[in-house]
């Protein structure tokens, strides 16, 4: 059966950057894996319902609608064809207008059925700096104290999910300029688990 690995990280931690490197490293080493961005799938599903919005605005939509789309996205992802390991690029939590909301509530978790959770982290100072420097995105906050709180929330949510799913958590650092090394480390963790 196809193994699914959840890779999560707070906005601006560099998760997408590390996953792009992972794709390149996996190709070089001929390791079959597919990387799916949960936000992209949700954005397409919003579009299908006639809601054309920027990916950074989805979290501000009505929470009931977000919840429906979140579940639908998880079901779609779970039906991805092929036998290669599935790496799901997502969030442990999302800051909505209604509060902090789990990225993988029970039904989403059941659909994805992950065999492990990998949290990408960086120093909070670095996360705040990356958020401020990346002008292509709409970030909720670029303050250091918010980066620290987000990193903590991410771990809190990961703990809850790990208990429910009975799976391990690994924490991977994405230090400044070290995205390639982080991707190599990530591939090693994935290969060991699948
Ligand atoms: P998503 O696309 O995952 O949003 P995001 O986390 O904001 O993604 P980013 O790509 O901006 O952040 P990143 O941490 O990957 O940073 P990046 O690599 O760009 O999700 C979009 C939306 O989808 C969410 O807001 C939510 O609404 C929805 N969503 C997703 N999953 C969901 C779920 N499960 N449930 C409900 N909703 C969900 O890097 C940032 C910057 O840092 C860049 O400038 C980069 O060049 C730089 N950088 C990165 N690494 C390094 C490094 N090692 N050294 C120096 N610079 C670096």
């Amino acid at each position: 059966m196809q193994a699914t690995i959840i890779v999560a990280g707070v906005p601006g931690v560099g998760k997408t950057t590390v996953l792009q490197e992972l794709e390149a490293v996996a190709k070089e080493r001929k390791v079959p894996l597919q990387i799916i961005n949960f936000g992209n799938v949700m954005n397409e599903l919003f579009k299908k319902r006639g809601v054309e919005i920027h990916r950074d605005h989805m979290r501000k939509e009505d929470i009931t609608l977000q919840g429906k789309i979140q579940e639908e996205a998880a079901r779609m992802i779970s039906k991805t064809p092929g036998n290669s390991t599935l790496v799901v690029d997502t969030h442990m939590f999302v800051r909505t207008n209604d509060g902090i909301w789990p990225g993988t509530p029970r039904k989403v978790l059941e659909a994805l059925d992950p065999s492990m959770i990998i949290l990408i982290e960086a120093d909070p100072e670095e996360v705040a700096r990356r958020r401020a420097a990346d002008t292509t995105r709409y970030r909720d906050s670029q303050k250091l104290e918010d980066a620290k709180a987000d990193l903590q929330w991410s771990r809190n949510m990961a703990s809850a999910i790990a208990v429910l799913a009975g799976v391990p958590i690994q924490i991977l650092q994405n230090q400044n300029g070290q995205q390639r090394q982080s991707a190599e480390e990530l591939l090693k963790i994935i290969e060991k688990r699948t």
Side-chain angles (χ1 to χ4, degrees):
M1 207 182 87
Q2 192 175 34
T4 299
I5 308 274
I6 290 182
V7 176
V10 301
V13 78
K15 138 185 91 65
T16 304
T17 304
V18 171
L19 289 176
Q20 278 165 0
E21 287 285 343
L22 174 71
E23 195 162 33
V25 177
K27 215 174 244 174
E28 283 164 30
R29 313 250 163 97
K30 299 189 170 37
V31 178
L33 51 86
Q34 281 191 78
I35 301 171
I36 297 189
N37 181 293
F38 201 100
N40 285 350
V41 178
M42 281 185 68
N43 203 248
E44 282 304 313
L45 291 169
F46 267 106
K47 266 188 212 156
K48 269 195 188 160
R49 288 174 182 239
V51 187
E52 290 257 1
I53 41 170
H54 188 279
R55 58 194 299 105
D56 289 334
H57 295 152
M58 293 191 293
R59 61 183 176 268
K60 303 302 175 195
E61 283 291 310
D62 174 77
I63 193 139
T64 310
L65 176 62
Q66 281 190 73
K68 282 189 186 140
I69 290 183
Q70 185 194 45
E71 269 182 47
E72 206 178 328
R75 282 197 301 271
M76 269 182 75
I77 292 170
S78 73
K79 290 183 188 135
T80 306
N83 290 320
S84 52
T85 303
L86 214 57
V87 175
V88 182
D89 171 357
T90 190
H91 291 268
M92 287 290 105
F93 74 92
V94 178
R95 283 190 183 274
T96 70
N97 287 339
D98 295 81
I100 296 196
W101 184 52
T104 50
R106 191 173 47 84
K107 285 186 183 164
V108 171
L109 191 60
E110 281 169 4
L112 294 179
D113 191 21
S115 49
M116 111 174 283
I117 299 162
I118 301 173
L119 287 187
I120 299 196
E121 293 190 354
D123 293 337
E125 291 77 9
E126 191 53 39
V127 173
R129 198 195 61 72
R130 286 178 196 161
R131 286 177 178 180
D134 186 0
T135 54
T136 63
R137 303 293 299 263
Y138 303 98
R139 304 291 185 195
D140 287 340
S141 165
Q142 301 165 2
K143 290 188 200 150
L144 175 60
E145 61 262 35
D146 291 329
K148 281 184 184 164
D150 284 0
L151 288 160
Q152 192 55 52
W153 269 112
S154 202
R155 284 194 179 193
N156 296 346
M157 288 291 188
S159 310
I161 291 161
V163 171
L164 283 177
V167 297
I169 302 172
Q170 287 249 8
I171 295 190
L172 181 78
Q173 292 297 320
N174 175 30
Q175 308 287 12
N176 212 16
Q178 304 285 305
Q179 51 269 48
R180 174 80 190 191
Q181 287 87 334
S182 302
E184 282 171 356
E185 184 63 24
L186 181 53
L187 187 61
K188 272 190 211 150
I189 297 171
I190 293 172
E191 282 190 295
K192 204 170 158 210
R193 186 69 194 160
T194 53

